[in-house]
Every structure is written in C-alpha cells, then in structure tokens.
Amino acid sequence: MNEIQMTQIVEQFSRKDEQGETGVKVIRVPDYKTVYVEQIGEVGRSVVLSEFKVDGKIYWAGYSSRSNTVFVSQASQG
C-alpha cells in the first residue's frame, strides 16, 4: 500500500464517503494511538501508524498486509 492510496483511504474515512471502494477493511482504533497491536489468533503484530492531515484534522493510519486492513486513529478534533 503506497502513501497515495493511504491518503485516499483516510480521506474517505474522515469524510464518511461510502461510495469509495478500496478493497480493504478500515477499522477505527482509539483516538491518539500511533501504534496498534493487531491480534490474529494467539499472535499479535504491531502496526505503526503514520500521520495524515485531512480537512484540518489529523489522523494516524497504518496498513496491515496480513489482514488487508487499514487502522485509523483520530488525533485532533480540527
């Protein structure tokens, strides 16, 4: 997943755009998280989130290729 794709996914998430089909799951995680531990079975894997700015709000988001999921955390109210 490249940065342009991530930016588009975060933009769609923040604008609640249901029309944008990305082919990946998007899961919101608790606010202000910069690392998320994805649990699959008994195995946990850290997903490091990067900062994205959309419409004056800051989000942290990261992609897991293991589950084809983008994890998004809101970091500001804008």
Side-chain angles (χ1 to χ4, degrees):
M1 170 97 32
N2 65 39
E3 190 170 339
I4 293 170
Q5 292 170 310
M6 283 293 293
T7 301
Q8 291 172 342
I9 291 169
V10 174
E11 286 174 350
Q12 289 172 358
F13 173 84
S14 73
R15 296 174 182 155
K16 296 171 180 50
D17 179 8
E18 303 297 328
Q19 302 299 323
E21 181 57 40
T22 61
V24 299
K25 293 184 286 184
V26 179
I27 297 178
R28 180 164 183 178
V29 298
D31 293 348
Y32 308 106
K33 295 288 181 187
T34 58
V35 177
Y36 180 74
V37 178
E38 176 184 37
Q39 287 286 138
I40 297 179
E42 294 183 13
V43 178
R45 180 171 146 183
S46 296
V47 179
V48 177
L49 311 182
S50 300
E51 182 178 295
F52 294 87
K53 293 182 183 178
V54 178
D55 299 332
K57 294 181 181 178
I58 298 172
Y59 294 88
W60 288 85
Y63 174 70
S64 169
S65 59
R66 184 175 177 199
S67 63
N68 195 33
T69 303
V70 173
F71 297 96
V72 181
S73 173
Q74 190 167 336
S76 73
Q77 300 302 318

